[in-house]
């Protein structure tokens, strides 16, 4: 606690929960590039998504399936913007052989606890890049007999080659195809706690 107190001493309006400032330690990190999405932009968009989902799922509350680990912060914020008696469950999958390059191999590391039969399932993803992870997840969950299945992804990387097969019901932001970190997104398990979303510029760690 001593460190935090020193960092924000004399700045009572600023701090990790003010929404208007970000810890200066991130600004000094040479591995981080420009802010792609600010805390305020993310919060505003998450609120809009929550309203849309609340409207669309009225009378048929969804089961939100969070894809760990990257979606954990987005899911926590989104769920609180949905005014329905929803259910939550988590899956963990691994799609990356190395820190920043897709391997094409998707493994289920943790499966769902809840049975999907008859449920309105909404997959909550952090980011769609090649689409491999999502394609695999959709097929896997569709085979379990949900009443409906839709996808909400906070970020979608603009693709050179379009991905017409992937219908996304809800998208937070379309971003450039750069490697980004923060708001749950990591590089080698770091930067998940960065409050905004920034470009990671340091190249691929091994
Ligand atoms: P895809 O299978 O290529 O669509 O990759 C999706 C998964 O890769 C995401 O759920 C992330 O875990 C990870 N990923 C893709 N792009 C990024 C990025 O820019 N930053 C951090 N993780 C990413
Ligand atoms: Mg990841």
């Amino acid at each position: 606690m001593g460190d935090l107190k020193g960092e924000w001493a004399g700045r009572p309006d600023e701090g990790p929960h003010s929404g208007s400032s970000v810890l200066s330690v991130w600004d000094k990190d040479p591995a981080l590039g420009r802010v792609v999405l600010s805390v305020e932009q993310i919060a505003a968009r998450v609120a809009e998504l929550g309203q849309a989902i609340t409207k669309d799922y009225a009378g048929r509350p969804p089961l939100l399936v969070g894809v760990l680990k990257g979606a954990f912060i987005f899911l926590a914020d989104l769920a609180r913007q949905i005014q329905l008696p929803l259910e939550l469950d988590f899956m963990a999958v691994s799609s990356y052989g190395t820190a920043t390059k897709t391997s094409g191999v998707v493994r289920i590391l943790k499966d769902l606890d809840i049975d999907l039969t008859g449920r309105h399932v909404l997959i909550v993803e952090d980011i769609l890049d090649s689409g491999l992870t999502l394609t695999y997840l959709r097929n896997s969950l569709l085979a379990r007999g949900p009443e409906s299945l839709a996808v909400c992804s906070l970020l979608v990387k603009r693709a050179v080659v379009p991905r017409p097969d992937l219908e996304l019901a809800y998208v937070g932001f379309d971003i450039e195809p750069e490697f980004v970190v923060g708001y749950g997104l990591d590089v080698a398990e770091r930067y998940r706690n960065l409050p905004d979303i920034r470009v990671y510029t340091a190249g691929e760690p091994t």
Side-chain angles (χ1 to χ4, degrees):
M1 287 310 286
D3 283 340
L4 293 183
K5 219 175 151 209
E7 186 84 14
W8 291 309
R11 295 160 60 201
D13 298 337
E14 299 179 15
H17 303 294
S18 72
S20 64
S21 83
V22 162
L23 279 172
S24 59
V25 64
W26 305 115
D27 297 326
K28 292 178 196 148
D29 188 331
L32 295 178
R34 68 173 203 288
V35 175
V36 176
L37 295 164
S38 69
V39 168
E40 293 81 0
Q41 284 175 301
I42 297 168
R45 187 69 186 126
V46 172
E48 287 175 0
L49 291 172
Q51 282 163 20
I53 292 167
T54 301
K55 193 164 157 266
D56 296 349
Y57 284 85
R60 45 171 204 136
L63 166 64
L64 302 188
V65 171
V67 184
L68 295 173
K69 301 174 194 170
F72 85 108
I73 292 180
F74 175 43
L75 181 67
D77 285 347
L78 181 68
R80 286 176 291 178
Q81 297 292 337
I82 300 173
Q83 305 208 11
L84 294 170
L86 54 74
E87 296 173 296
L88 278 170
D89 204 351
F90 297 93
M91 266 183 109
V93 298
S94 166
S95 66
Y96 270 40
T98 60
T100 63
K101 290 262 160 36
T102 188
S103 66
V105 177
V106 178
R107 278 189 305 144
I108 293 185
L109 305 176
K110 185 227 170 283
D111 210 337
L112 298 171
D113 298 326
I114 299 179
D115 180 5
L116 301 191
T117 316
R119 283 189 159 83
H120 295 283
V121 176
L122 183 57
I123 300 175
V124 179
E125 258 279 36
D126 53 357
I127 187 165
L128 193 96
D129 186 1
S130 70
L132 277 169
T133 308
L134 193 58
T135 302
Y136 176 87
L137 266 181
R138 275 171 80 118
N139 293 338
S140 166
L141 299 194
L142 267 178
R144 305 181 194 188
E147 185 71 28
S148 69
L149 182 67
V151 178
C152 175
S153 186
L154 177 67
L155 306 174
V156 174
K157 282 192 193 173
R158 281 197 199 94
V160 183
V161 183
R163 295 166 293 228
D165 51 321
L166 287 170
E167 317 130 38
L168 299 170
Y170 308 95
V171 172
F173 303 92
D174 285 299
I175 63 165
E176 298 300 320
E178 300 169 298
F179 200 84
V180 294
V181 293
Y183 199 69
L185 291 155
D186 74 309
V187 60
E189 299 301 332
R190 289 183 59 223
Y191 299 113
R192 293 195 196 277
N193 62 325
L194 170 66
D196 49 19
I197 294 174
R198 303 189 188 199
V199 176
Y200 178 76
T201 57
E204 189 179 337
T206 47

